[in-house]
Amino acid sequence: MRKTIFTLFILLGCTFSALAQSESEQLRSIYDNAEENYNIGRIDEAEKELMENLKKFPTNLRQSAYRLLALCSLGNDQEQLAEERTRLLLQLNPYFSPSANDPQRFIDMVERIKAGRSATITTASSQAETLNEVPVPTTLITADMIKNCGGCNLQEVLAAYVPGMHIIDCNDDINIAMRGIYSNSQEKILIMVNGHRLNSYCTNIAAPDFSISLEKIKQIEVLRGPASSLYGGVSLTGVINIITWQGADVDGVKVKAGVGNYGQLRGDAMIGKRYFDVDFLLWGSIYRAKGETRYIDRENTGLHFDSGDITIGGIGKKPSYDVGLSLKYKNLNFFYNTQYSQIQAPMTMMFFYSPYNIDKYKTFNGLRPGYTTLSHHADLSYSHQLGKVWLKGSIAYDNSDLTHYQVIVEEPTTSVLSLLPFNKQVQQLLTDKGGIFRYINGQEHTISGKLQGDWNYVNNKNHKGNLSFGIEYSYFTLDDVRYTFGYEYANTLPEASEIQEYGKGHETNQNTFVQLKHQWKSFILNAGLRFDYKQRYDNSHIREFSPRVALIYMQPKWNMKLSYSKSFIDAPYLYRKTNLVLANYFNEDNITVDLNPESLHSWQLTFNAVEWAKGLNFELNAFYNRAHDLIFLMFSEHENAGEMNAYGLEFSGSYQTRKLSIHFNATWQDVKKNNLYGKDFDRGLNMPKFMANAIFSWKTPLKNLELHTHLSLTSKQETYHLEPINYSTFIDLASYYGQLYQEYVNNPTEEIAEELDEMDKKMSYLVQEITVRNEYPARLLVNLGARYTIKDLELSFDIHNLFNHKYTQSGMSTGPIPQKGLWFMGSIAYKF
């Protein structure tokens, strides 16, 4: 009996499958017949067939049908109808791009609608909307723009196109800042791929480095300003959402290989296809570079230790890679991404900065010194239209293996030891020892779920209203923690089990958000509120409300926006745990364990102009920011030690013709208040007062050859660090302070306590004395590139820093860190 029932189920399944396949084949045949009629000039017949079956078409055929209907309208000189159908196409697929075989009128229309702020942005309000409607200033970067700027990683692309955003590399990480707010690593800006968070739940970091492939990117949507009302406690200063190609866009296999100076090797591959309602995309990218070797002279740079060779732009012994899969079936989406990143620090850590020889140091799990991350991201989501309500649910899993392997100091030096959290016995052991390093490693796991919806509660001639809502939950845990110090390149101190236990822990986060968007004729009100409730590892709680409100006035050729938003970012788990270890295990009584979340209030006024002249679009934005409880590193612990009030103007735009494309942006910014460790500064630290970029791309008279140029201007910057003339005095005093403190631990007398108090005053005074201003001069960098295309073959060549300009930056480092000189890469790509 069971066999009979099973057989019947098999037969029924095969029957339904055959019927479904037969219906799909019939609809495909109808579309193919309409396309053939269009190709032979029977436009009316083609249009009739499509309109009669439009509602029956599955998603992929409906997209093709809207494209063909738009072409039919253009063929009948019905420009307005063609534009309406093109907009429907873009609503169905906001990231559609015409092919080179499409009529130029259609290509121009698609690009004009997009440039005219068509429905291509989904990040700003968690729904598709035009750039005119987004509540905050937003920058859209397309795949062609990525190629034209010559950027070799996400960091360089963002710095080229996003006003207010600039490179702020520290010593051992690829970092970027928004409007002068930054930290030791890239942890103030949320980075997503297709809406999936990449930022670590332990460190808040998602470095825009070579572990994010540029070839997979169809476009990048960048929200400039706080975005916690939608995305919670990571999006302090902005949101970057990377939109990948769809399988239908690739429609085959694309491969690319590149080679350049300083040992650069690069490889990329993409496989994409769409079969009826199934869309499939698989990508892989790999990059390695030995790095640029440069001699650093102690006499000319003010090094605290010996001269020597450093490596700039080194990736480490293992290459960075990015492998991912996107699979869609109707309303069901699956996403998986694994990334590996390893960055070699040019110099030793903190204010000991000096050259070092990486090959001398022992390996941990095959790794030499550097910042290394191996991460896995998986997301499964399903969406469904229920009347006027669109619902989407998703579950996600994230795992990261984090390693921070730092060289502290290479040369033997006793005075350094007093600044590190070592007891007297360890300090005696390390006296006159060199090759001192620190190794930190941990594995994080996060499971999260999200349910969100959109309700179109009104839609008529005068009013359009939408209410978005959602709830989220995440559970984060960190385990397998290692924390150890080493000396003489290969020896390690015993790993204390107490430190490993201190590092472990878990945290949960629950939040809910609601957003109202109501349009009355030319006016739009966009308001949102999110509540985050977080339970930390120590059972303390974070409760944060994140509001946003924007008023928008739209006209056909221009629009204005006035917005206020507040965001926060909780102190990274790693910072709080590091302070806990220092306070409890190393008996550092003056360390604050309970770090507060950082917060930012922002007011913005934006003016957009659309097609004021043919091909010209531009935006002018004024902002005022108030940041509180900014976290900074002081020696080995982190503190809520900063406040900054900043204001500025941002100008960006584009001008396009058939032969020429220009994208430009400029930023002027300054601080009204900048307080760090109780001291006021009249400038933003490492914050250029003026920045400008211009990217030119033009088609040459030589067929299929396109050239591009990127000009980047940055005004002088200022930072504050330890002046070498006083450095030895500070080290000597710190060394004596460490010895005195150990004496007090062993013999806590009143006399020693009084002397410690006096030493505290002297050291505080000395730190203020040696905290002096250092200027980095203005610079103009020039990148050049060329692309030559022969059918499916593309040859390209890009040069970074054409004139080999030597310059330095400091970021959170206390000394100047040399940056890349002239780098170049040649590539060959082919589509099968």
Side-chain angles (χ1 to χ4, degrees):
M1 183 66 179
R2 291 180 179 177
K3 290 184 178 180
T4 304
I5 295 174
F6 180 75
T7 304
L8 288 173
F9 272 117
I10 293 294
L11 290 173
L12 286 172
C14 291
T15 303
F16 283 126
S17 176
L19 289 173
Q21 184 174 0
S22 175
E23 183 182 4
S24 297
E25 290 176 353
Q26 289 177 3
L27 293 172
R28 168 59 69 176
S29 177
I30 291 172
Y31 174 81
D32 290 342
N33 189 59
E35 189 170 39
E36 183 178 352
N37 282 331
Y38 169 79
N39 290 331
I40 62 176
R42 297 176 179 174
I43 295 178
D44 293 338
E45 288 87 340
E47 189 171 22
K48 182 179 179 181
E49 285 181 289
L50 292 173
M51 292 302 297
E52 288 177 350
N53 296 278
L54 188 60
K55 293 183 178 180
K56 301 178 185 177
F57 286 143
T59 305
N60 64 318
L61 275 184
R62 196 177 308 145
Q63 174 182 317
S64 300
Y66 279 130
R67 168 190 164 275
L68 193 54
L69 284 169
L71 295 179
C72 290
S73 300
L74 287 176
N76 289 327
D77 290 327
Q78 297 172 309
E79 188 83 14
Q80 185 174 354
L81 182 57
E83 187 166 317
E84 290 177 6
R85 288 170 170 175
T86 303
R87 290 183 184 276
L88 290 172
L89 165 60
L90 291 173
Q91 287 178 7
L92 190 63
N93 179 7
Y95 314 110
F96 169 82
S97 292
S99 70
N101 297 324
D102 284 328
Q104 188 62 46
R105 287 177 66 193
F106 178 67
I107 295 175
D108 290 344
M109 177 174 289
V110 172
E111 295 303 320
R112 184 175 70 249
I113 293 174
K114 285 186 175 183
R117 308 324 194 231
S118 179
T120 58
I121 296 297
T122 59
T123 307
S125 298
S126 188
Q127 57 185 281
E129 59 187 351
T130 69
L131 278 174
N132 281 343
E133 298 173 272
V134 294
V136 294
T138 303
T139 300
L140 178 64
I141 305 172
T142 65
D144 285 338
M145 291 168 66
I146 293 174
K147 291 181 179 179
N148 291 341
C149 75
C152 62
N153 57 29
L154 180 61
Q155 177 203 50
E156 295 181 3
V157 172
L158 296 171
Y161 288 107
V162 183
M165 196 169 280
H166 66 285
I167 293 174
I168 193 72
D169 279 350
C170 297
N171 191 29
D172 53 358
D173 201 6
I174 289 180
N175 200 356
I176 198 160
M178 185 71 192
R179 297 170 181 168
I181 298 177
Y182 62 95
S183 52
N184 201 50
S185 301
Q186 198 319 92
E187 61 197 50
K188 312 288 193 209
I189 302 172
L190 173 63
I191 299 180
M192 303 186 294
V193 173
N194 295 334
H196 184 96
R197 166 180 169 159
L198 297 185
N199 295 67
S200 161
Y201 286 82
C202 176
T203 64
N204 289 347
I205 296 171
D209 57 19
F210 296 95
S211 65
I212 299 178
S213 167
L214 296 182
E215 293 300 315
K216 72 181 180 186
I217 299 176
K218 186 166 188 178
Q219 66 184 46
I220 306 171
E221 302 171 1
V222 183
L223 307 188
R224 309 195 318 265
S228 288
S229 63
L230 276 179
Y231 299 105
V234 190
S235 49
L236 185 73
T237 62
V239 175
I240 299 163
N241 191 14
I242 297 168
I243 308 298
T244 64
W245 296 100
Q246 295 187 22
D249 299 319
V250 178
D251 194 28
V253 179
K254 288 184 177 181
V255 293
K256 185 176 182 179
V259 61
N261 61 343
Y262 301 121
Q264 291 184 93
L265 293 173
R266 191 165 205 158
D268 296 275
M270 277 196 303
I271 304 173
K273 206 72 179 176
R274 178 178 286 176
Y275 297 96
F276 298 103
D277 288 325
V278 177
D279 189 274
F280 167 83
L281 178 70
L282 176 67
W283 73 82
S285 175
I286 189 169
Y287 176 85
R288 68 167 300 170
K290 294 181 179 179
E292 176 184 350
T293 302
R294 189 180 301 174
Y295 180 77
I296 301 298
D297 185 17
R298 174 176 181 172
E299 298 300 323
N300 295 331
T301 60
L303 291 177
H304 307 314
F305 299 101
D306 281 347
S307 307
D309 289 334
I310 66 171
T311 300
I312 305 170
I315 294 300
K317 302 301 180 182
K318 295 175 66 175
S320 295
Y321 62 76
D322 178 7
V323 177
L325 167 69
S326 175
L327 184 63
K328 301 180 180 180
Y329 174 70
K330 293 186 177 179
N331 295 329
L332 184 66
N333 297 332
F334 174 74
F335 170 85
Y336 172 76
N337 192 200
T338 180
Q339 300 166 290
Y340 179 83
S341 171
Q342 184 180 7
I343 304 299
Q344 178 182 341
M347 310 180 86
T348 59
M349 69 178 288
M350 289 174 27
F351 49 84
F352 311 129
Y353 71 102
S354 63
Y356 69 98
N357 186 343
I358 190 173
D359 293 321
K360 289 183 178 181
Y361 291 83
K362 70 172 294 183
T363 61
F364 288 87
N365 299 321
L367 300 177
R368 294 195 186 274
Y371 191 95
T372 307
T373 304
L374 172 61
S375 59
H376 303 272
H377 314 277
D379 183 286
L380 180 67
S381 64
Y382 179 78
S383 58
H384 182 69
Q385 188 75 33
L386 191 63
K388 293 184 177 181
V389 179
W390 174 83
L391 294 172
K392 180 180 179 181
S394 64
I395 55 173
Y397 172 73
D398 294 271
N399 163 256
S400 292
D401 188 310
L402 311 166
T403 300
H404 212 168
Y405 184 1
Q406 297 172 295
V407 177
I408 298 174
V409 62
E410 179 146 314
E411 296 182 36
T413 173
T414 302
S415 57
V416 165
L417 302 179
S418 62
L419 298 178
L420 298 174
F422 298 146
N423 58 35
K424 188 175 182 179
Q425 290 74 22
V426 173
Q427 290 194 19
Q428 289 176 348
L429 173 67
L430 298 182
T431 298
D432 296 324
K433 299 292 195 304
I436 299 176
F437 59 87
R438 180 177 72 167
Y439 177 80
I440 305 174
N441 174 260
Q443 286 234 354
E444 66 167 286
H445 307 268
T446 304
I447 299 174
S448 58
K450 181 178 181 180
L451 177 65
Q452 65 184 94
D454 288 305
W455 172 37
N456 293 310
Y457 60 86
V458 64
N459 189 354
N460 55 47
K461 184 178 180 181
N462 293 324
H463 293 272
K464 293 181 181 180
N466 180 276
L467 185 68
S468 300
F469 51 90
I471 54 173
E472 288 182 278
Y473 173 83
S474 65
Y475 178 88
F476 155 82
T477 181
L478 183 72
D479 54 26
D480 298 330
V481 178
R482 295 187 63 187
Y483 192 118
T484 187
F485 289 89
Y487 60 97
E488 292 202 333
Y489 309 105
N491 301 317
T492 55
L493 299 174
E495 295 187 38
S497 59
E498 295 95 329
I499 294 181
Q500 295 179 5
E501 292 303 315
Y502 279 139
K504 296 178 182 179
H506 68 270
E507 298 185 333
T508 60
N509 191 2
Q510 305 98 41
N511 65 74
T512 181
F513 69 89
V514 62
Q515 176 180 266
L516 173 68
K517 178 182 176 183
H518 191 97
Q519 180 176 354
W520 177 66
K521 296 183 178 179
S522 298
F523 291 92
I524 295 179
L525 169 66
N526 191 315
L529 180 65
R530 173 170 168 141
F531 174 69
D532 281 83
Y533 176 82
K534 182 174 184 178
Q535 181 172 324
R536 289 176 164 183
Y537 68 86
D538 57 0
N539 288 323
S540 63
H541 301 91
I542 300 295
R543 298 176 178 85
E544 289 282 345
F545 284 96
S546 302
R548 179 187 70 188
V549 61
L551 297 173
I552 306 169
Y553 180 66
M554 296 194 306
Q555 290 295 298
K557 292 288 186 178
W558 60 275
N559 68 83
M560 290 194 70
K561 308 169 189 175
L562 176 63
S563 66
Y564 162 77
S565 52
K566 179 254 180 182
S567 63
F568 80 100
I569 179 171
D570 192 18
Y573 177 91
L574 181 64
Y575 290 0
R576 291 181 274 121
K577 280 289 188 176
T578 300
N579 282 11
L580 177 69
V581 170
L582 294 173
N584 292 345
Y585 185 76
F586 294 110
N587 297 316
E588 297 285 344
D589 297 332
N590 60 336
I591 292 179
T592 302
V593 175
D594 189 22
L595 293 173
N596 297 323
E598 301 168 273
S599 64
L600 177 65
H601 298 260
S602 182
W603 292 261
Q604 301 191 80
L605 178 62
T606 311
F607 176 82
N608 278 296
V610 180
E611 290 285 324
W612 274 20
K614 187 177 180 181
L616 176 65
N617 300 286
F618 66 88
E619 175 192 273
L620 181 65
N621 180 61
F623 69 88
Y624 179 73
N625 288 344
R626 291 176 52 205
H628 298 276
D629 288 321
L630 296 177
I631 296 175
F632 289 88
L633 178 67
M634 184 62 175
F635 300 123
S636 55
E637 74 270 13
H638 294 82
E639 297 182 25
N640 290 111
E643 292 186 27
M644 187 172 75
N645 297 348
Y647 54 92
L649 292 173
E650 299 168 342
F651 178 69
S652 61
S654 64
Y655 175 72
Q656 294 183 338
T657 67
R658 290 191 177 185
K659 295 289 185 180
L660 176 66
S661 172
I662 305 174
H663 289 84
F664 49 87
N665 63 78
T667 302
W668 174 85
Q669 55 191 355
D670 205 350
V671 297
K672 181 179 179 182
K673 174 185 179 182
N674 189 23
N675 184 281
L676 176 61
Y677 288 106
K679 184 172 182 178
D680 290 324
F681 299 97
D682 58 357
R683 292 287 300 275
L685 276 65
N686 297 290
M687 174 178 156
K689 207 166 187 177
F690 180 78
M691 301 179 293
N693 290 274
I695 298 95
F696 303 87
S697 175
W698 63 94
K699 297 179 181 179
T700 66
L702 184 61
K703 188 179 179 181
N704 300 329
L705 177 63
E706 187 172 334
L707 303 178
H708 52 265
T709 303
H710 174 203
L711 305 178
S712 175
L713 174 65
T714 304
S715 68
K716 70 176 182 179
Q717 301 176 57
E718 296 179 356
T719 189
Y720 301 84
H721 64 88
L722 305 179
E723 186 68 21
I725 191 172
N726 291 320
Y727 182 78
S728 59
T729 306
F730 176 74
I731 290 295
D732 291 341
L733 192 61
S735 179
Y736 179 67
Y737 181 90
Q739 296 173 14
L740 193 64
Y741 181 79
Q742 288 301 322
E743 288 181 20
Y744 178 77
V745 172
N746 298 328
N747 183 25
T749 65
E750 185 176 343
E751 182 181 355
I752 298 178
E754 290 177 356
E755 190 172 355
L756 279 172
D757 289 338
E758 290 297 319
M759 290 293 294
D760 278 332
K761 295 176 182 178
K762 289 181 180 180
M763 290 189 68
S764 298
Y765 174 76
L766 185 58
V767 168
Q768 293 178 6
E769 286 293 302
I770 61 179
T771 305
V772 297
R773 175 181 297 177
N774 187 51
E775 288 190 357
Y776 297 92
R779 63 179 182 267
L780 174 64
L781 301 182
V782 180
N783 298 344
L784 287 181
R787 288 198 305 273
Y788 186 74
T789 306
I790 311 172
K791 294 184 178 179
D792 294 324
L793 178 68
E794 181 182 277
L795 305 174
S796 60
F797 189 78
D798 290 282
I799 303 175
H800 169 85
N801 195 354
L802 175 66
F803 299 108
N804 198 25
H805 181 62
K806 298 294 193 301
Y807 65 101
T808 58
Q809 295 181 165
S810 70
M812 282 288 180
S813 301
T814 54
I817 307 300
Q819 303 297 302
K820 289 181 179 180
L822 189 153
W823 287 51
F824 62 80
M825 175 171 282
S827 302
I828 180 171
Y830 189 79
K831 180 183 178 183
F832 296 91

